[in-house]
Amino acid sequence: MSSESLVNRGTAFHAEWLEGIRVNKSAVERRTSTIGTRRSVKKDSQIAYMLKAISCIDLTTLAGDDTPGRVKRLAQKAASPVRHDIMEALGVGDMRITTGAVCVYHEMVPEAVAGLKGSGVPVAAVSTGFPAGLAPMETRLEEIRRSVEAGAGEIDIVVTRAHVLTGNWQALYDEVKAFKEACGPALMKTILATGEHGNLTQVGKASMVAMMAGSDFIKTSTGMEGVNATLPVSLVMIRQIRDFYERTGQKVGYKPAGGIKTAKDAVTYLTLIKEELGRDWLEPELFRFGASSLLGDLERQLEYHATGGYSASYRHPMG
Amino acid sequence: MNVKEKFESMDYAPALESRSAADSWLAENEKSFGMFIGGEWVKPEGAKTFATYAPSTGEKLADITAARQEDVDAAVLAARTAQGKWAALGGHGRARYMYALARLVQKHSRVLAVLESLDNGKPIRESRDIDVPLVARHFYHHAGWAQLMDEEFPEYEAVGVAGQVIPWNFPFLMLAWKVAPALAAGNTVVLKPAEFTSLTALKFAELCEEAGLPKGVVNIVTGEGDVGAMIVDADVDKVAFTGSTDVGKIIRRAIAGTGKKLTLELGGKSPFIVFEDADIDGAVEGVVDAIWFNQGQVCCAGSRLLVQEGIADRFFAKLKTRMGNLRVGNSLDKCIDMGAVVDSVQKDRIEALIKKGEEEGAEVYQAPCVMPTEGVFFPPTLVTGVGTDNTLYREEVFGPVLTAVTFRTQSEAVGLANNSRYGLAATVWSESISRALEVAPVLKSGIVWINGTNMMDAAVGFGGYRESGFGREGGREGMLAYMKHRFEKNLKEWKPIAKPETVAKPKAGSGLSGIDQTAKMYIGGKQARPDGGDSVAVATSKGAYAGLVSAGNYKDIRNAVEAATKASGWAGKTSHLRAQILFYIAENLSSRATEFEERLVSLTGVTQKAAEKEVELSIQRLFTAAAYADKHEGRVHEPPMRGVALAMNEAVGTLGIVCPDESPLLAFVTLMAFAMATGNTSVIIPSERYPLLATDFYQILETSDVPAGVVNIVTGPRDAMAAPLAKHFGIDGIWYFGSREGCADVEALAADNMKRTWLNYGKAYDWTNTDHMNPKALMERGTEVKNIWVPYGDANEGGKSY
C-alpha cells in the first residue's frame, strides 16, 4: 500500500450526494450492539487484533502541562510500546511493532520529531485552533504551515461546528479544502467533533463533506467534547467512507478518538471496521485510534496471554 | 496459523462455546429420554424411540421416546386431573410458580442456550442473546398476568386443558409462548415439541420439577406429527399450534365444531419494504436481521424484499456486498451469522423450491461464504428477476432465501405487499413518519415493524392475518386466547325453531289488505331481486301467510360478497362517522318501533310486551355499538426498547353473518351493529324462519346514510347459503349461530382461507343477556389486533437522557 495512493484528492462539492444521507439511530445502535457478539475474537486471533490495535494508536498527549520531557518519554513508548519479553513469549519477538503516530500540540512537535527519529513513527500535530477551532482563519492556516515545517507528517484539524449545526455544507467544504491546501504533503485528519452534532444524519453529512474537501482521515473528536468516539458515531462515519470510496475510488481513513480505553473496546472497533469497510482498512494508513490510556490496557492483556496471569499496570513501562 | 500470520490476515477463527454442561446433562440422562407425564419421567415399555441430531455436525445427541396413543391419553388425563386445583390455586399462587420458572430459566440460561443451538443448529449468539432471554421475559410477564387475573379478567376463567404442538425453529421460545399464558390463566398443558428439537422442552420439564410445580400441570410428550394429531384429537379444551399453514388447516378441519378453542401461528411470506427515503445502510442490515436470522427459518421472516425502483440498483449492490461478509458455521461458534439448517429434509425442501423458482425464471445469487464441509448448511441467497407468480415470490421457503422485486410508488408497494395469501408480519423502512404511519395500518399483517425487524416481546401480541393463522400470543390478547367467559359453561343447548312445512295460501277473493309488499334482498345499497327468480312464503306464528321473501342462492351470496368487498373503505372512515350512522339507525328504528313490534308479534307469536322489549333492546344495542364505535381504542405498549408498539384494533374485513332464529330482530341488529361499529362490511343471512324482520330493516338502513355495500342482506335457505359463504375466499370472518352440525360444517369450510369464526357450537346464547352480549367482547369479535412497532430516536445525545 503506497502512501501516495492514499492521498485523498477530494472532489468538487456535490450537494446532491448529501441529499440521500439519512441515518436511523435505532438501526445504527442495533448494528453496533451486536458487532461484538457476532464476531468473537479469541486466543491467537485476539493477540493479533491487540497487536494490530497498538500499531494503529496515535499515542496522544494534549495537555497544558505537556513538557519536552513528557513528550520525549511518550515518543520512546510509541517506538517500543510492548515489553520485549512479552513479545517473545507470544512468539512475535521478531515483529517490530510501533504505534501509528504520536499526537501532540504544535509546540511539542520538534521534541516529538527528535524523539522519534529513525523509528518510522510519524508525528501528528493537532491544529487550526484545536480544540474549538474558532481562531482567525489566517492563524489557523498559519498554524498548519508551521507544524508541517516543524516536521509534523500529519495534521489533525478541527472544523467550525457552526457550519455543521446550521447545515452550511458549502462553508464547511471551503474551510476543510483550505486546510488541506495548507497541509501540503502532510496527511490531514479532519476532526468533526461529532459529540457536538445534533444527530447522526449531521455526522454522516459532515463526514461526506470533509471527504469531498480532501480529508485523508475523518476523525470523531478532539477528546474534549462531552461525548467522544462511540460505536454508533463510528458506524455512521465509516459507512460514509465506504460510500465515498464507491463513488470516487478514494480510500479515506478513520480515526475514533477519545473514550476508547480497553483492549476489548479496541478489538470491537477493529471488528466493526473489518465488517463494514473490509480488511484493507485494518492498517495504520487507514485506521487510527486517538487514545492515551488504551495502550496500557492492551499491554496488560498481552501479558495475560503471554503468562496466563492477569497483569498490573506498574509492570509496564510508563509512557 | 500463528499470531504473526494472523496479524497479516486479520482473519477470524472459530470461537466455540463450551458444551460441557450440555454434554454432562445428556450423559446424566444416558442420552436417552423418556417423557414427563403427571410429574413423573416415564419411558413406556415397548414405545419406540427416535434419534435427535446436531445439524451442525450430524452427530447424534440422544434418543427420544415416540409417544403412543396411551401415553398421550395418560398425559391428557394427568393434565385434566391437575387442572381444577391449579386453577383454584388462584392468580397469586400461580404467579409464584411462574416467577420461579422465570428465575430458573435465567439460572440455567447457559445450558439451555447450548442445548438449543446444538439441537436446532441456530447460532449460539441467537439462543444466548435472543431466545433464552425472551423465554425468561415471557415467564416474568405472564407471572404478572397470573397475579392480575382477578383485576384484569374478572369475567373470565381458564379454558381447561391445552394441547400444544410447537415447531422446531424456536423450540424453547415457542414452548414459553405456549406454556406461559396457559399456566397464567389457570390451564394445564400437554405439550409436544417438534421431533427435530425435543431437548430444551425436556430440560424445561426438569425446571418444572425444580420449581416444585404441581404434578400434571405441565406434561411433555415427544414424537412426530402423529403424536401432534393425537393431542389435537384428545380430550383437550384448547389447541395451540405453531407450524405450517397446511397442517394448520388440517387441524382446523379436524376439530371443526368441537368447540375446542384454537390458535394457529402459521406461515408467512412477509414483505420488507424499503422506500427511497430510508436509511439505506440501516435497511440493508435490517434485511440481515429479517431473513438471515435463524437461517431464515422464521415464520415472520421478511422474505419478500420490495425496494423502490430509484434506489434498487444501489440497494442490491450494497446487499450483495453485505452478504459477502456473512459467516456461516457451527452453531456453537460465537463468530458466525448463520448456523445450520435444522435437518437435511428441510435443506432438500429449500433446494427443491430454489430449483423450481429458477425454472420459472428466477436469478439466484448466493453469498460467497465459506461453507462448512460437514453438517447441514445452506448459504444466504438473494433471488431477483422474478414475476409475482414465481414460486419463490409466493411460497414460504423457510430458509435463508430472500426474493426481491421493485416498486414505483407507495400505493404500488402496499398493493404488492398485500398481494399474498399470508399476512403475518411486514417491515417498513422510511425516515418519514408520515409515510411509515400511513403505510402500517393498510398492510394486511398482524405485525408491522418500522425501521427494524423481528422485534418480539411478551407484552406485544404476535400473530397473523389471513392464512398466517389467528389468535395472538403475548400481551392481553394472548391471555384471552387461553380463557373463556364464565357464562359459557352455563349455556343451554340450542334448539331449532321449526319452520312450518306449509304456509296457508291467501284465500282467493280475500282482497288486498294494502298495497302488495315486495321484500327483496339488499345488496350494494340496492334492493335486489334473487338471481334464481324464486320466492318463498313466510308464515306467521299461526301458520298463516305473512308474505314472500327472495329465495337466495350461492350466486346472490357471490354478488353480496362483491358488494361488501367494494365497500371496504368503511374501515377507513372515521369512527365518529360510524358512531353517527349507528345512532341514526337507532333513531330511525325508534320511529318505526310500532311496525317492528307488530311484525314480531305476528311472526313469532310473542306477547306485545316481549315485542316491545325486543325492539327497545335493539335500539339500546345500536346505541351501545355507536357508543363503542369510537371508544374501542388500541393500546400503546412499552416493550423494553426505546420506542413503542402501537396495538391497533383493526376490522376483520368482510364478515359473513348467519343469524339465528331466536330473538330474530335483536340478534340481527346486534350482529349487524357490532360488525359496523368495528369497521367491517357484512353479508348477512337473516333468520330463515323470520326473514321479514331483516327485509323490513333495510328501509331503515336506506334512510340512515349507511354507505352502499356496508350491510348486505341475502334471504333464503340459511344453511344452504352458509356453505358458499363459509367457502368464499373474499370473506375474512364468519359468524354462525345454529346447530352443532351446522357449526362443524361452517368451521371446516372456513379453514380454506383461515376465516376468523364465531360460532355457538350448538349452544344457545340469550341475546337479551348483556353478559352473553358483552359489548367489549363483541367489539373484540369484530377486530383483530395489529401491533406496529415504532422504535424512535434521533438526537445525538451520547447516552444522556433528557
Side-chain angles (χ1 to χ4, degrees):
Chain A
M1 213 180 287
S2 82
S3 62
E4 202 153 301
S5 70
L6 290 168
V7 171
N8 179 12
R9 292 179 301 277
T11 69
F13 178 67
H14 293 282
E16 74 279 9
W17 289 5
L18 305 179
E19 280 161 22
I21 298 176
R22 290 182 189 84
V23 182
N24 184 283
K25 185 166 82 165
S26 300
V28 164
E29 289 168 348
R30 272 196 296 277
R31 172 67 169 146
T32 55
S33 69
T34 58
I35 197 79
T37 53
R38 282 181 184 270
R39 295 291 177 267
S40 178
V41 181
K42 296 290 174 202
K43 298 177 183 164
D44 282 1
S45 299
Q46 198 176 357
I47 297 167
Y49 270 66
M50 290 195 288
L51 292 171
K52 181 63 77 177
I54 290 172
S55 76
C56 292
I57 290 178
D58 280 3
L59 200 60
T60 301
T61 183
L62 295 171
D65 59 1
D66 284 346
T67 61
R70 153 84 176 135
V71 170
K72 192 175 175 188
R73 203 171 65 221
L74 199 72
Q76 282 164 350
K77 185 72 183 169
S80 178
V82 184
R83 247 171 48 212
H84 193 70
D85 62 301
I86 295 175
M87 295 292 278
E88 287 285 345
L90 295 172
V92 289
D94 57 337
M95 270 175 79
R96 220 184 80 74
I97 293 268
T98 67
T99 67
V102 164
C103 182
V104 293
Y105 270 115
H106 171 78
E107 279 301 299
M108 297 297 147
V109 169
E111 196 61 48
V113 169
L116 289 166
K117 198 163 184 190
S119 70
V121 179
V123 173
V126 295
S127 195
T128 67
F130 183 94
L134 292 174
M137 191 64 181
E138 309 87 79
T139 59
R140 283 187 271 161
L141 291 168
E142 187 57 21
E143 191 182 3
I144 294 176
R145 289 187 204 108
R146 296 257 188 109
S147 292
V148 175
E149 275 167 26
E154 305 180 358
I155 301 292
D156 288 22
I157 61 144
V158 291
V159 302
T160 302
R161 272 72 114 186
H163 295 332
V164 175
L165 291 167
T166 59
N168 194 348
W169 304 117
Q170 180 73 54
L172 180 67
Y173 175 86
D174 293 343
E175 179 182 73
V176 175
K177 200 172 165 69
F179 292 155
K180 172 75 172 187
E181 277 165 21
C183 282
L187 192 85
M188 184 175 81
K189 308 195 200 98
T190 300
I191 302 171
L192 300 175
T194 54
E196 292 171 354
H197 296 202
N199 65 16
L200 294 176
T201 299
Q202 276 180 353
V203 172
K205 289 183 176 178
S207 300
M208 184 54 84
V209 172
M211 288 186 285
M212 288 184 213
S215 305
D216 299 305
F217 270 72
I218 51 175
K219 175 177 169 185
T220 57
S221 323
T222 63
M224 316 292 175
E225 289 87 52
V227 182
N228 296 296
T230 63
L231 284 173
V233 157
S234 298
L235 180 61
V236 172
M237 291 174 73
I238 64 180
R239 281 175 169 173
Q240 292 306 321
I241 289 173
R242 187 172 63 198
D243 275 3
F244 187 76
Y245 174 62
E246 281 166 9
R247 286 181 190 279
T248 67
Q250 294 272 351
K251 289 179 177 170
V252 171
Y254 178 64
K255 179 177 173 184
I260 302 159
K261 296 187 185 327
T262 67
K264 194 177 174 203
D265 289 346
V267 171
T268 305
Y269 268 92
L270 291 175
T271 308
L272 181 71
I273 299 295
K274 180 167 150 75
E275 290 300 302
E276 291 283 329
L277 289 173
R279 166 67 185 91
D280 285 0
W281 263 264
L282 296 182
E283 294 295 338
E285 287 80 1
L286 285 171
F287 182 74
R288 299 285 176 81
F289 287 111
S292 45
S293 62
L294 171 62
L295 179 56
D297 194 53
L298 286 162
E299 287 176 271
R300 284 194 296 278
Q301 298 309 320
L302 284 170
E303 187 174 27
Y304 167 71
H305 279 270
T307 67
Y310 285 110
S311 184
S313 56
Y314 69 84
R315 295 174 50 80
H316 302 278
M318 187 170 152
Chain B
M1 214 191 282
N2 61 29
V3 172
K4 207 166 166 184
E5 287 160 343
K6 285 218 157 104
F7 184 84
E8 289 309 316
S9 73
M10 292 298 281
D11 283 346
Y12 302 113
L16 293 181
E17 176 69 64
S18 162
R19 51 180 281 181
S20 58
D23 279 334
S24 44
W25 181 72
L26 291 171
E28 279 163 31
N29 286 282
E30 295 171 335
K31 295 194 170 194
S32 166
F33 290 88
M35 298 179 289
F36 189 64
I37 297 174
E40 309 289 338
W41 286 96
V42 293
K43 263 188 206 174
E45 288 279 327
K48 289 188 183 133
T49 63
F50 59 94
T52 189
Y53 296 93
S56 276
T57 58
E59 146 198 19
K60 180 177 156 181
L61 294 171
D63 283 312
I64 308 290
T65 303
R68 305 156 305 165
Q69 183 66 53
E70 52 263 52
D71 305 320
V72 171
D73 292 345
V76 172
L77 181 65
R80 179 68 65 198
T81 310
Q83 199 264 322
K85 258 191 164 172
W86 178 245
L89 188 58
H92 176 63
R94 294 197 298 276
R96 291 168 79 121
Y97 283 110
M98 297 190 66
Y99 173 69
L101 285 171
R103 296 297 255 181
L104 283 166
V105 168
Q106 291 181 316
K107 287 171 193 168
H108 297 287
S109 60
R110 167 79 75 96
V111 68
L112 285 162
V114 172
L115 278 174
E116 193 78 324
S117 280
L118 271 176
D119 205 12
N120 164 279
K122 67 172 63 198
I124 185 71
R125 175 187 76 85
E126 294 178 11
S127 51
R128 180 195 63 206
D129 297 346
I130 300 170
D131 296 50
V132 173
L134 280 175
V135 169
R137 161 90 180 125
H138 221 76
F139 276 100
Y140 273 109
H141 183 76
H142 285 86
W145 280 125
Q147 178 69 28
L148 298 176
M149 275 291 285
D150 293 345
E151 285 77 14
E152 293 289 326
F153 304 105
E155 66 275 40
Y156 290 91
E157 62 186 350
V159 174
V161 174
Q164 307 179 317
V165 180
I166 60 172
W168 43 257
N169 59 340
F170 294 92
F172 195 36
L173 182 58
M174 290 302 105
L175 174 145
W177 283 19
K178 297 280 179 287
V179 170
L183 262 48
N187 303 276
T188 54
V189 305
V190 176
L191 178 134
K192 184 193 90 69
E195 62 270 28
F196 295 141
T197 53
S198 307
L199 292 179
T200 43
L202 294 163
K203 179 70 191 170
F204 176 75
E206 274 192 16
L207 301 189
C208 292
E209 286 186 296
E210 214 172 321
L213 200 67
K215 291 181 176 189
V217 170
V218 169
N219 303 276
I220 309 284
V221 294
T222 46
E224 298 187 15
D226 59 324
V227 180
M230 291 175 207
I231 292 174
V232 168
D233 289 339
D235 174 31
V236 294
D237 307 296
K238 154 96 190 183
V239 173
F241 171 76
T242 297
S244 74
T245 291
D246 289 345
V247 174
K249 288 181 184 178
I250 292 169
I251 292 173
R252 164 38 100 212
R253 293 185 188 112
I255 65 170
T258 61
K260 288 176 187 172
K261 269 185 99 122
L262 178 65
T263 43
L264 296 170
E265 302 287 0
L266 308 175
K269 192 75 185 178
S270 296
F272 187 105
I273 310 170
V274 184
F275 287 102
E276 61 196 0
D277 57 3
D279 172 351
I280 306 284
D281 287 306
V284 167
E285 204 56 41
V287 170
V288 174
D289 291 335
I291 189 68
W292 296 309
F293 170 53
N294 201 18
Q295 297 71 250
Q297 302 166 143
V298 183
C299 50
C300 55
S303 54
R304 267 195 307 151
L305 173 63
L306 315 178
V307 184
Q308 197 150 16
E309 216 168 310
I311 57 163
D313 289 346
R314 191 155 164 245
F315 192 88
F316 293 146
K318 277 178 176 284
L319 186 56
K320 284 183 179 174
T321 305
R322 180 70 185 91
M323 288 170 76
N325 283 342
L326 293 170
R327 288 171 64 83
V328 181
N330 187 309
S331 59
L332 294 185
D333 186 351
K334 290 179 280 187
C335 204
I336 57 163
D337 299 290
M338 247 176 56
V341 171
V342 72
D343 191 89
S344 55
V345 172
Q346 184 61 13
K347 186 179 171 186
D348 293 347
R349 201 184 104 81
I350 298 169
E351 278 170 348
L353 284 166
I354 294 261
K355 189 159 169 280
K356 188 143 183 270
E358 274 183 316
E359 283 163 11
E360 292 165 2
E363 292 159 33
V364 175
Y365 173 83
Q366 296 194 312
C369 299
V370 180
M371 298 297 286
T373 47
E374 56 175 9
V376 189
F377 292 90
F378 197 87
T381 302
L382 171 66
V383 175
T384 53
V386 296
T388 50
D389 59 341
N390 191 288
T391 301
L392 294 172
Y393 182 80
R394 304 195 71 81
E395 296 305 321
E396 181 172 44
V397 176
F398 225 63
V401 181
L402 175 69
T403 305
V405 297
T406 63
F407 64 87
R408 293 169 300 171
T409 61
Q410 180 178 317
S411 56
E412 190 169 70
V414 170
L416 284 165
N418 288 343
N419 181 216
S420 170
R421 66 193 174 101
Y422 295 112
L424 188 49
T427 303
V428 178
W429 283 82
S430 164
E431 284 305 296
S432 160
I433 190 170
S434 303
R435 164 174 273 167
L437 291 183
E438 184 179 23
V439 169
V442 293
L443 293 172
K444 294 286 178 200
S445 61
I447 306 141
V448 179
W449 294 297
I450 293 174
N451 294 324
T453 203
N454 278 336
M455 291 178 265
M456 296 164 200
D457 183 59
V460 186
F462 183 101
Y465 286 13
R466 294 184 174 167
E467 291 186 38
S468 292
F470 46 72
R472 294 290 180 268
E473 294 187 306
R476 189 183 178 80
E477 53 271 30
M479 283 296 288
L480 288 173
Y482 281 94
M483 292 185 286
K484 64 179 183 196
H485 281 278
R486 290 184 186 278
F487 69 77
E488 283 184 42
K489 60 178 175 289
N490 300 322
L491 288 178
K492 298 197 174 83
E493 288 299 308
W494 177 86
K495 287 195 199 77
I497 294 176
K499 205 177 152 199
E501 300 257 316
T502 55
V503 180
K505 285 186 183 146
K507 279 181 189 145
S510 61
L512 282 171
S513 60
I515 293 176
D516 183 64
Q517 285 187 348
T518 309
K520 290 190 222 164
M521 298 193 288
Y522 185 61
I523 295 175
K526 293 194 179 75
Q527 300 183 22
R529 290 203 172 77
D531 176 87
D534 289 324
S535 298
V536 284
V538 178
T540 67
S541 64
K542 299 192 170 79
Y545 175 84
L548 291 172
V549 292
S550 304
N553 64 21
Y554 66 97
K555 286 188 180 168
D556 300 301
I557 292 290
R558 177 201 63 193
N559 296 344
V561 174
E562 207 161 296
T565 307
K566 266 192 202 150
S568 62
W570 176 244
K573 295 275 189 283
T574 65
S575 54
H576 170 60
L577 178 78
R578 292 203 294 269
Q580 269 182 293
I581 290 175
L582 284 160
F583 279 127
Y584 196 21
I585 295 172
E587 177 192 327
N588 287 324
L589 174 58
S590 172
S591 68
R592 293 175 58 176
T594 320
E595 177 195 326
F596 278 90
E597 289 157 10
E598 283 168 8
R599 192 65 112 173
L600 277 167
V601 170
S602 147
L603 291 179
T604 68
V606 293
T607 62
Q608 175 63 27
K609 205 175 159 196
E612 281 169 17
K613 188 185 165 201
E614 183 162 351
V615 173
E616 176 54 29
L617 277 175
S618 299
I619 292 165
Q620 283 185 22
R621 198 120 319 144
L622 282 160
F623 259 62
T624 309
Y628 266 111
D630 62 357
K631 292 170 194 68
H632 183 55
E633 290 166 327
R635 285 168 173 257
V636 180
H637 293 299
E638 298 171 29
M641 59 180 263
R642 190 184 59 231
V644 293
L646 310 174
M648 294 182 49
N649 293 321
E650 294 191 342
V652 169
T654 301
L655 296 178
I657 300 175
V658 187
C659 297
D661 290 333
E662 63 269 25
S663 302
L665 177 67
L666 180 59
F668 167 81
V669 165
T670 302
L671 297 168
M672 180 203 70
F674 280 87
M676 285 180 73
T678 42
N680 297 282
T681 61
S682 54
V683 173
I684 305 180
I685 304 174
S687 157
E688 188 172 344
R689 173 68 186 84
Y690 310 118
L692 290 171
L693 287 157
T695 55
D696 290 347
F697 205 89
Y698 65 62
Q699 294 183 348
I700 290 178
L701 299 178
E702 283 175 329
T703 53
S704 306
D705 299 340
V706 177
V710 170
V711 177
N712 304 276
I713 300 167
V714 182
T715 54
R718 200 184 83 122
D719 284 6
M721 289 194 300
L725 197 57
K727 268 178 86 79
H728 200 301
F729 282 96
I731 291 284
D732 303 298
I734 189 151
W735 298 352
Y736 174 94
F737 306 91
S739 66
R740 195 175 287 276
E741 298 71 34
C743 290
D745 291 345
V746 162
E747 202 161 36
L749 293 171
D752 286 350
N753 68 333
M754 288 290 161
K755 290 177 183 67
R756 286 78 183 109
T757 53
W758 177 21
L759 310 159
N760 64 327
Y761 296 111
K763 299 284 182 185
Y765 286 112
D766 176 355
W767 294 87
T768 65
N769 183 318
T770 47
D771 285 339
H772 296 193
M773 292 299 131
N774 178 295
K776 280 188 192 172
L778 289 169
M779 293 301 285
E780 275 158 13
R781 293 283 187 190
T783 48
E784 285 192 276
V785 181
K786 170 188 279 176
N787 274 289
I788 303 171
W789 290 71
V790 191
Y792 50 68
D794 191 58
N796 178 33
E797 90 289 10
K800 290 193 294 286
S801 56
Y802 290 101

